[in-house]
């Protein structure tokens, strides 16, 4: 049952993104930023955690989940370190994911041989 919940919630997030691409003049980059900011907002007020509890990876894998992880990291760091946690919390919470993304991008850039579209 958990797989079905994850598929439905993750699919709905993707459908919202696709509708924004198809029905608005927003660029994909702006939509990605919107999703991260929405995740930060919903995570900051505590709403996104209930979505994560319901859907698991269906809510944590999309960019909204990244935003919610940033907000959770900041909130925990503020409780632990005070005002300094505003700056350090998001980095500590998402350091592993960002590192994997950077290293993966570097490996692909070294291996791939891009060609012009012409």
């Amino acid at each position: 049952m958990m797989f079905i919940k994850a598929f439905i919630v993750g699919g709905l997030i993707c459908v919202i993104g696709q509708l924004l691409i198809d029905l608005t003049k927003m660029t994909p980059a702006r939509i990605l930023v919107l999703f991260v900011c929405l995740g930060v907002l919903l995570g900051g007020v505590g709403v996104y955690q209930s979505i994560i509890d319901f859907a698991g990876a269906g809510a944590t894998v999309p960019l909204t989940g990244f935003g919610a992880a940033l907000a959770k990291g900041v909130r925990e760091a503020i409780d632990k370190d005070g005002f300094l946690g505003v700056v350090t919390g998001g980095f500590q919470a998402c350091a592993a994911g960002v590192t994997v993304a950077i290293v993966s991008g570097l490996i692909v850039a070294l291996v791939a041989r891009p060609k012009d579209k012409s």
Side-chain angles (χ1 to χ4, degrees), residues 71-81:
K72 183 178 179 182
V74 169
R75 195 170 45 246
E76 290 173 357
I78 288 173
D79 292 340
K80 180 182 170 199
D81 301 328

Side-chain angles (χ1 to χ4, degrees), residues 12 15 17 24 30 35 43-44 51-52 54 57 61 63 71 76 78-79 89 95 104 109 111 117:
L12 285 174
V15 165
T24 68
R30 288 185 179 182
F35 275 18
I51 299 170
I52 292 171
F54 175 76
V61 171
L63 284 172
E76 290 173 357
I78 288 173
D79 292 340
S104 299
V111 173
K117 291 185 176 183

